[in-house]
Amino acid sequence: MARIVMKFGGTSMAGIERIRSVAARVKREVAAGNQVAVVVSAMAGETDRLVGFCREASPLYDAREYDVVVSAGEQITSGLLAIALQAIDVPARSLLGWQLPIRTDTAFAKARIDTIDTAALEASFAAGAVAVIPGFQGVAAGERITTLGRGGSDTSAVAVAAAIRADRCDIYTDVDGVYTTDPRIVPRARKLAKVTYEEMLELASVGAKVLQTRSVGLAMKEKVRVQVLSSFTDEAAPMADTLPGTMIVGEEEAAFKENGDVERQLITGIAHDKNEAKITLTRVPDQPGTVASIFEPLAAANINVDMIIQNIAHQSASNGASSTSATDVTFTVPAADLARSIEALNQAREAIGFGELIHDTRVAKISVVGVGMRSHAGVASTMFTTLGARGINIQAISTSEIKVSVLIHEDETELAVRVLHTAYGLDAETAQG
């Protein structure tokens, strides 16, 4: 007997027929003798619809009430799946975030999980029932409903898996695994059998849409084995544990490990993200504490900053023997947070002392990721040379131990992904069918 958490995304839950298909898949796991908890997303497009209502009501909405609205989608699908399971003689009940409960902090719309009470889940297992849990939601102090950020159902699933010490967390989605890049851009992209936690964390953070970044970080911390699978296989397909999609695992299980050589594959994947916005503050005083005054209000607003560039200081004014110097500071934020970023910076304008605030949403972040970078030189050089040969201008650069990212104009995204995928030898010999 295995203990499994099954998570189904929005496309898997998009309508009653698909929910019935999910119920049939869950029944197979139960019939195999496994203890099963299911985490569900809202129906495809439903969360966007609810977010749209909030923005229409007020562009600067109260995040606490926003959470009340947008968490409704998962509540609906959890109840519907429980009904569908009961209809095929599988004991099941829905357990909402506040009923478990899943306790979170008070960072509304981006809440982080503190604890999960597993008593109700253990009772369901003991009774031979399936617990159906709405992803994305929890409860904070004062019994306020919270949500975990877009894609938060992945985090819910991994957190539940960690709490109940599940053998595996299966993430069912509309793709059959993790690819070397987006197959819609590069048809010769290859599906990866296994990816390390670190690589998946970097890929998720720089634009790969398969898993939410926080879910991967939590899986790495708690050592939860995560499998990405397609929910669009027929009912005669083998069980999940015999037909894997892509396993997210520790480095010792990595797909590129061959005869003990964990350095054989240099680059694992190419990711892209158009959901970035670039902000430039001009004529910022070049003095200690100024940079902190820029990013403190953004941090207070729970806005994540990625790439940061500070230009060489130049003399901006002189007064006899003394002179002052200024610099320009450029950084990126999620495009969805641009309006709040501008508001926070303008409120702190006097403290920062910047000249102009210039923003641009016509940018994209392109990243190459691979643990092989740790022991191979020339990865960045290949990237810059390849992009330069195709006339693609780099606006910003950031790096980590296993990642190099650049910011380019969004119109050049697909070209950049294709040429880099080829430059690093990631193209499959034959196109994916």
Side-chain angles (χ1 to χ4, degrees), residues 170-221:
D170 290 340
I171 306 288
Y172 287 86
T173 181
D174 55 355
V175 297
D176 60 351
V178 179
Y179 280 73
T180 49
T181 197
D182 189 338
R184 294 169 297 182
I185 296 177
V186 182
R188 293 171 69 87
R190 294 182 289 108
K191 187 174 77 171
L192 300 163
K194 293 178 184 175
V195 179
T196 69
Y197 292 124
E198 288 179 281
E199 288 173 321
M200 195 66 236
L201 186 60
E202 292 284 14
L203 287 168
S205 70
V206 294
K209 307 301 182 187
V210 179
L211 292 172
Q212 189 203 43
T213 305
R214 284 168 52 191
S215 71
V216 183
L218 182 60
M220 181 167 66
K221 175 178 177 288

Side-chain angles (χ1 to χ4, degrees), residues 2-122:
R3 181 170 283 190
I4 299 171
V5 173
M6 305 173 72
K7 183 267 177 179
F8 294 90
T11 52
S12 306
M13 303 297 293
I16 296 300
E17 286 307 312
R18 289 188 179 175
I19 290 174
R20 287 187 178 131
S21 177
V22 166
R25 194 177 295 271
V26 173
K27 183 175 183 177
R28 291 177 66 194
E29 293 288 356
V30 173
N34 295 323
Q35 295 181 331
V36 179
V38 184
V39 175
V40 295
S41 296
M43 292 185 184
E46 181 65 10
T47 302
D48 286 337
R49 187 177 75 93
L50 297 173
V51 170
F53 286 151
C54 292
R55 289 175 176 166
E56 186 177 351
S58 173
L60 297 175
Y61 46 73
D62 183 337
R64 295 167 296 184
E65 302 305 335
Y66 167 93
D67 279 356
V68 172
V69 175
V70 301
S71 63
E74 282 76 10
Q75 178 169 326
I76 292 169
T77 50
S78 61
L80 289 174
L81 180 56
I83 291 170
L85 285 166
Q86 293 165 5
I88 56 175
D89 299 321
V90 177
R93 68 155 294 182
S94 61
L95 288 167
L96 305 187
W98 60 268
Q99 291 176 307
L100 280 173
I102 298 174
R103 294 285 177 188
T104 74
D105 62 19
T106 55
F108 294 95
K110 297 180 182 179
R112 292 187 173 274
I113 296 173
D114 290 330
T115 62
I116 297 179
D117 189 331
T118 61
L121 290 172
E122 294 293 348

Side-chain angles (χ1 to χ4, degrees), residues 227-243:
Q227 183 170 213
V228 179
L229 298 154
S230 173
S231 60
F232 294 93
T233 54
D234 60 49
E235 293 186 6
M239 296 289 283
D241 56 355
T242 60
L243 182 64

Side-chain angles (χ1 to χ4, degrees), residues 198 202 368-370 373-374 398-405:
E198 288 179 281
E202 292 284 14
V368 297
V369 176
M373 290 185 194
R374 290 177 177 149
S398 68
T399 65
S400 75
E401 189 179 23
I402 64 170
K403 176 199 70 180
V404 180
S405 297

Side-chain angles (χ1 to χ4, degrees), residues 5 153-163 169 171 214-216 218-220 222 224 226:
V5 173
S153 293
D154 291 342
T155 299
S156 298
V158 173
V160 169
C169 179
I171 306 288
R214 284 168 52 191
S215 71
V216 183
L218 182 60
M220 181 167 66
E222 299 293 338
V224 175
V226 177

Side-chain angles (χ1 to χ4, degrees), residues 106-363:
T106 55
F108 294 95
K110 297 180 182 179
R112 292 187 173 274
I113 296 173
D114 290 330
T115 62
I116 297 179
D117 189 331
T118 61
L121 290 172
E122 294 293 348
S124 290
F125 292 147
V130 173
V132 185
I133 304 163
F136 180 54
Q137 65 172 243
V139 60
E143 304 307 300
R144 298 293 307 236
I145 292 174
T146 57
T147 63
L148 309 182
R150 297 305 298 268
S153 293
D154 291 342
T155 299
S156 298
V158 173
V160 169
I164 64 173
R165 294 180 173 84
D167 296 277
R168 195 176 68 242
C169 179
D170 290 340
I171 306 288
Y172 287 86
T173 181
D174 55 355
V175 297
D176 60 351
V178 179
Y179 280 73
T180 49
T181 197
D182 189 338
R184 294 169 297 182
I185 296 177
V186 182
R188 293 171 69 87
R190 294 182 289 108
K191 187 174 77 171
L192 300 163
K194 293 178 184 175
V195 179
T196 69
Y197 292 124
E198 288 179 281
E199 288 173 321
M200 195 66 236
L201 186 60
E202 292 284 14
L203 287 168
S205 70
V206 294
K209 307 301 182 187
V210 179
L211 292 172
Q212 189 203 43
T213 305
R214 284 168 52 191
S215 71
V216 183
L218 182 60
M220 181 167 66
K221 175 178 177 288
E222 299 293 338
K223 294 181 173 55
V224 175
R225 300 178 82 246
V226 177
Q227 183 170 213
V228 179
L229 298 154
S230 173
S231 60
F232 294 93
T233 54
D234 60 49
E235 293 186 6
M239 296 289 283
D241 56 355
T242 60
L243 182 64
T246 298
M247 290 296 303
I248 316 300
V249 294
E251 191 167 316
E252 67 281 359
E253 292 187 56
F256 50 81
K257 184 174 182 178
E258 186 173 297
N259 298 322
D261 180 8
V262 298
E263 299 176 348
R264 183 174 63 83
Q265 181 167 301
L266 176 61
I267 297 300
T268 296
I270 313 290
H272 70 282
D273 189 1
K274 292 185 178 181
N275 299 311
E276 294 278 315
K278 182 176 70 171
I279 295 176
T280 298
L281 300 181
T282 68
R283 301 191 302 279
V284 175
D286 184 32
Q287 59 190 31
T290 299
V291 173
S293 70
I294 295 172
F295 297 111
E296 283 174 352
L298 297 175
N302 290 311
I303 296 170
N304 293 322
V305 175
D306 186 16
M307 299 176 165
I308 303 173
I309 299 173
Q310 181 171 333
N311 295 335
I312 297 174
H314 52 85
Q315 301 297 357
S316 60
S318 61
N319 181 15
S322 65
S323 63
T324 60
S325 60
T327 185
D328 296 341
V329 177
T330 298
F331 53 92
T332 61
V333 298
D337 289 333
L338 178 60
R340 293 195 303 120
S341 299
I342 293 172
E343 180 189 29
L345 291 167
N346 280 330
Q347 288 181 351
R349 184 166 192 162
E350 184 175 346
I352 300 170
F354 63 86
E356 291 183 88
L357 188 157
I358 304 168
H359 65 272
D360 183 4
T361 58
R362 298 166 299 172
V363 295

